[in-house]
Amino acid sequence: MALVNEHFLKLPNNYLFSDIAKKVNAFKVSHPQKDLIRLGIGDVTQPLPRASIEAMHKAVDELASKDTFRGYGPEQGYDFLIEAILKNDYASRGVHLESSEIFVSDGAKSDTGNIGDILRHDNSIGVTDPIYPVYIDSNVMCGRAGVLEDGKWSNVVYLPCLNENNFIPAIPDRRIDILYLCYPNNPTGTVISKAELKKWVNYALENDTLILYDAAYEAYIQDPEIPHSIYEIKGAKKVAIEFRSFSKTAGFTGVRCGYTVVPKELTAATLEGERIPLNRLWNRRQCTKFNGTSYITQRGAEAIYSPEGKEQIKATINYYMTNARIMKEGLESTGLKVFGGENAPYLWVKTPRGIGSWKFFEQMLYEANVVGTPGVGFGPSGEGYIRLTAFGERADCEEAMKRIRRWIL
Ligand code: PLP
């Protein structure tokens, strides 16, 4: 008899976005003539940069000829992409990494979800709350999160990110083995300063904590003082793994490409106290379970670092960030309190008069015909907020703001 991994059965059946879809469908059935504007799901709407399209066409042609055909590539990624990453994403910011510290993948969801493979099941974990759900669910699946009690997992330390602390959690008063940080943040759209991030790196150095730093939205940072990488902080290579994605940077949500940085100096302990380099373990894990990102995809990703590619992704990011500005101004003009949206494509909107996230979601759906994402779906501290994304079409963002103004004022 095959036995299931019973930890999977602990996961609540209702997935946030399917709950939203059900409510939206119910609305559509009862109001077939209304057209909805969806500012909920975090997928992009603008096409890939021209430079990537051309590079991918060229790569396809190479595969069509016997002389230039390529089969399996290196599990860690092709040198041409890794070199472009090292030069443009790191050396240009004063961070020097080796090529063997970069692992190209099919995106940050896989890597943030799979990284737990190389870590013992009984490490304690800390998460900022609200949070990108993959961090918790992937820990539930291997039993590391414990059991669900009153909406919280028993082995997870929740670090509330609230208006009162500027959405930067207080340093915990106890040690945590593994800590997830995500900046610019999904869902709150807020960022962390160098000084604040330094406190976390120092905490990790003092407490032998591993930081899993998700920088999937770093390309959206506008303020030159905000760090793009945790390795801009001294000592971080000893304590942090960093995740990056081409999804929101360059519209690769459907193409699939990202990468993970595991510095050589980063170690974790065995029960006997021996220090093991995590780079070695992640390399082993990837070589066993992953056969590399497609050559075509990696050529497409490399192209975003060309002069034209850089201009093209900048234009698209500006488009989304202009949406964010229009939305922030529109919402604020109704008296709503809005966070984020300045260095990230997410707006974190406080619901008025203490209305719950789901209630506000439904009101906005029925009365303004605009779809958001209830903040509580990202964790207990998200209650009383709704997340809107700036990834929509300009005209939809503008129309949504008109509708919300009409509804609220
Ligand atoms: N990390 C965060 C914080 C995200 O919001 C997302 C996607 O929405 C991802 C990772 C996943 O990115 P990818 O498309 O590279 O898997």
Side-chain angles (χ1 to χ4, degrees):
M1 179 172 56
L3 299 176
V4 297
N5 174 351
E6 71 274 18
H7 300 303
F8 274 65
L9 309 181
K10 297 180 197 163
L11 284 166
N13 274 338
N14 48 351
Y15 178 58
L16 174 63
F17 289 103
S18 55
D19 281 356
I20 293 173
K22 271 188 220 139
K23 288 190 190 285
V24 168
N25 283 339
F27 172 84
K28 278 167 54 180
V29 169
S30 52
H31 303 79
Q33 74 292 2
K34 295 270 188 206
D35 95 286
L36 285 176
I37 299 178
R38 292 165 192 272
L39 301 178
I41 298 179
D43 200 357
V44 295
T45 52
Q46 301 304 301
L48 290 165
R50 200 63 231 158
S52 296
I53 294 292
E54 283 162 13
M56 288 195 281
H57 277 302
K58 188 159 163 274
V60 170
D61 287 339
E62 281 178 54
L63 300 186
S65 160
K66 204 171 172 185
D67 297 336
T68 47
F69 170 76
R70 303 200 188 209
Y72 289 125
E75 289 92 343
Q76 303 81 356
Y78 282 103
D79 282 343
F80 60 77
L81 178 55
I82 293 176
E83 291 309 318
I85 289 168
L86 291 177
K87 180 168 163 237
N88 294 283
D89 289 349
Y90 291 102
S92 65
R93 305 196 65 82
V95 175
H96 296 282
L97 292 164
E98 290 174 29
S99 50
S100 55
E101 296 179 309
I102 307 286
F103 295 86
V104 175
S105 71
D106 65 353
K109 187 187 226 178
S110 314
D111 289 353
T112 52
N114 290 330
I115 196 72
D117 277 12
I118 63 169
L119 302 162
R120 256 182 79 98
H121 68 281
D122 51 359
N123 280 293
S124 59
I125 67 166
V127 297
T128 53
D129 171 33
I131 192 193
Y132 175 54
V134 172
Y135 310 152
I136 292 198
D137 288 0
S138 59
N139 279 290
V140 174
M141 288 174 179
C142 67
R144 202 180 285 119
V147 290
L148 192 58
E149 290 162 353
D150 297 331
K152 290 190 178 181
W153 295 92
S154 56
N155 293 346
V156 177
V157 178
Y158 290 77
L159 306 168
C161 295
L162 307 162
N163 181 10
E164 294 77 47
N165 59 15
N166 231 350
F167 300 94
I168 306 290
I171 301 282
D173 50 9
R174 55 197 265 199
R175 62 164 308 285
I176 294 171
D177 297 319
I178 302 168
L179 176 74
Y180 288 83
L181 291 179
C182 172
Y183 287 103
N185 189 258
N186 176 14
T188 66
T190 55
V191 286
I192 192 162
S193 69
K194 260 193 185 145
E196 287 292 339
L197 189 53
K198 194 164 185 296
K199 287 188 202 163
W200 283 102
V201 170
N202 288 343
Y203 167 84
L205 286 164
E206 283 157 23
N207 290 281
D208 204 354
T209 297
L210 171 65
I211 297 180
L212 300 177
Y213 194 75
D214 187 344
Y217 296 95
E218 64 75 35
Y220 286 81
I221 295 172
Q222 310 288 310
D223 179 343
E225 298 301 318
I226 299 294
H228 287 237
S229 163
I230 193 166
Y231 306 121
E232 290 175 47
I233 311 295
K234 202 162 157 261
K237 282 191 201 170
K238 286 198 175 66
V239 293
I241 290 176
E242 179 163 290
F243 304 94
R244 293 274 185 112
S245 170
F246 293 94
S247 285
K248 309 298 161 63
T249 303
F252 273 50
T253 50
V255 178
R256 310 302 308 140
C257 196
Y259 66 88
T260 288
V261 185
V262 189
K264 288 274 176 64
E265 22 185 317
L266 176 64
T267 63
T270 63
L271 272 187
E272 294 73 34
E274 189 190 349
R275 304 298 304 196
I276 308 290
L278 290 181
N279 181 287
R280 198 175 88 203
L281 297 195
W282 185 243
N283 190 41
R284 189 73 175 83
R285 191 264 171 214
Q286 290 299 81
C287 289
T288 299
K289 293 195 181 181
F290 185 60
N291 247 342
T293 307
S294 84
Y295 174 69
I296 302 164
T297 299
Q298 292 190 62
R299 281 294 185 199
E302 179 198 20
I304 73 156
Y305 298 108
S306 65
E308 315 77 65
K310 281 181 186 167
E311 280 307 308
Q312 291 158 4
I313 60 170
K314 200 165 136 204
T316 305
I317 289 170
N318 283 344
Y319 177 88
Y320 293 135
M321 290 311 285
T322 303
N323 285 350
R325 184 177 49 74
I326 291 168
M327 290 165 66
K328 197 172 168 87
E329 286 170 6
L331 295 162
E332 282 174 346
S333 73
T334 68
L336 285 169
K337 207 159 168 45
V338 185
F339 304 93
E342 285 168 356
N343 293 287
Y346 293 117
L347 293 113
W348 191 237
V349 185
K350 182 98 193 82
T351 61
R353 301 179 300 283
I355 302 174
S357 293
W358 276 110
K359 179 130 183 93
F360 191 76
F361 164 87
E362 292 205 13
Q363 287 179 352
M364 198 166 77
L365 173 64
Y366 279 81
E367 291 167 42
N369 307 147
V370 174
V371 184
T373 310
V376 69
F378 298 98
S381 296
E383 182 53 290
Y385 290 89
I386 196 147
R387 188 193 75 172
L388 298 181
T389 86
F391 287 127
E393 296 286 343
R394 175 70 42 79
D396 286 343
C397 295
E398 286 169 343
E399 173 60 21
M401 291 311 109
K402 275 193 208 144
R403 292 185 189 182
I404 291 174
R405 273 182 70 82
R406 237 181 280 135
W407 162 47
I408 290 191
L409 293 182

